[in-house]
Amino acid sequence: MRFAQRSLQPVYAPFLHPKHTTRIQLSRSTPLPAWTRSFHASANWRVVDLAYRLHDNNGNAKGDPIVMIHGLFGSKRNNQSVANAFARILSRPVYAIDTRNHGESPHDKAHNYTALAEDVEAFLQKHNLKNSTLIGHSMGAKTVMTMALRNPDCCANIIPVDNAPVDAALSSDFPKYAEGMQRVEQAKPKSQKEADKILEPYAKDLPVRQFLLTNLFKPEPSAPLKFRIPVQILAKALDDMADFPFTNPDEVRFNKQALFVRGTKSPYVSDETLPIIGRFFPRFELVDIDAGHWVISEKPEEFIKAVVEFLQEKE
């Protein structure tokens, strides 16, 4: 594993789940079968067909694909300039997707990392995307980690951004965001300004409110604004978003390369989680960026530089 030099002191937080604390010794993982699964609906959820936006530098990006997965309450419209930069600099097409219950993708009552992973795995197969780099932020980070551990052959490498493969409580901000968004829907606002005022007590930072309110739309010209995402479903899924479906790195491991990017002002990837990351992802590299949880939007140039350097080294 490789560590970039930190720009701040380590961020310590009590996020390592007790069930991980006794696992210290490394052992050889059980080999996993080749990626030959058929993606059909399970007893508990169905695979949904994901909406996406392709960034391919006007058709000039012909290399191996990059798939970008947003975080909770996000969409494929997030970080478009970053996706365009990757397509241009790396000459690789970038598929920015909407996960289930986000953006223009279908809604479903099941919202957990196994369901999210199966959706994206089906997307890769449908579009015949091979040797992909999977980039995910927050919820998207746990999704790409889940995919890599479920089916290592589904991708060439992964780049999880500001999340770790542990069961860890979400920041208290996310339940507040969900509550505020429900309040907005109940008020049936006619304008973005009105919605912003309702949401302000639940999301103090203007950039966060602007991010959340990108999900608002008008079904009809005279209708009140409403969220295109199913806020109630996502509010009920917050515990699942704090969870991680794998608990034992002695049973599953991703032996390909992985770049973990964390914000030094964020608690989601504390130094205590690094040994667990190293056991699930023994070839991981770590880059720290002087930012909070919203690493990509806060420091896009630094994020682009870290990803480009990582991927160019692999060529």
Side-chain angles (χ1 to χ4, degrees), residues 108-171:
D108 193 275
K109 290 182 179 179
H111 196 87
N112 57 64
Y113 289 114
T114 301
L116 291 167
E118 288 196 354
D119 290 345
V120 184
E121 288 165 349
F123 179 87
L124 296 178
Q125 287 202 338
K126 176 182 177 180
H127 296 277
N128 196 28
L129 303 182
K130 299 177 180 178
N131 299 315
S132 299
T133 293
L134 306 180
I135 301 176
H137 170 251
S138 193
M139 177 187 76
K142 280 192 171 180
T143 300
V144 304
M145 286 186 275
T146 301
M147 292 173 64
L149 293 172
R150 278 165 49 90
N151 299 292
D153 292 335
C154 78
C155 60
N157 45 53
I158 63 170
I159 303 177
V161 183
D162 212 55
N163 219 334
V166 296
D167 295 353
L170 291 178
S171 162

Side-chain angles (χ1 to χ4, degrees), residues 193-301:
K193 184 177 180 181
E194 184 183 348
D196 181 74
K197 186 175 181 180
I198 298 166
L199 187 59
E200 186 173 5
Y202 304 92
K204 300 293 185 183
D205 295 335
L206 178 60
V208 173
R209 294 201 304 279
Q210 290 174 332
F211 162 73
L212 296 173
L213 294 175
T214 60
N215 290 294
L216 280 179
F217 79 111
K218 264 190 178 177
E220 299 173 1
S222 59
L225 291 167
K226 65 177 292 185
F227 286 104
R228 61 170 50 88
I229 60 176
V231 178
Q232 289 189 342
I233 289 176
L234 294 176
K236 292 178 181 178
L238 290 179
D239 285 344
D240 286 324
M241 294 296 93
D243 201 356
F244 189 68
F246 296 97
T247 61
N248 189 352
D250 291 341
E251 296 176 352
V252 289
R253 192 169 298 161
F254 183 71
N255 289 310
K256 299 178 183 179
Q257 290 171 316
L259 176 67
F260 279 72
V261 180
R262 66 174 174 179
T264 55
K265 298 175 183 176
S266 169
Y268 282 101
V269 189
S270 67
D271 284 354
E272 289 89 341
T273 64
L274 297 183
I276 287 295
I277 292 174
R279 296 189 61 208
F280 277 122
F281 305 96
R283 298 179 66 190
F284 89 100
E285 302 174 18
L286 177 70
V287 168
D288 285 337
I289 293 178
D290 183 18
H293 181 58
W294 311 95
V295 179
I296 303 175
S297 59
E298 287 183 43
K299 295 293 178 69
E301 293 182 2

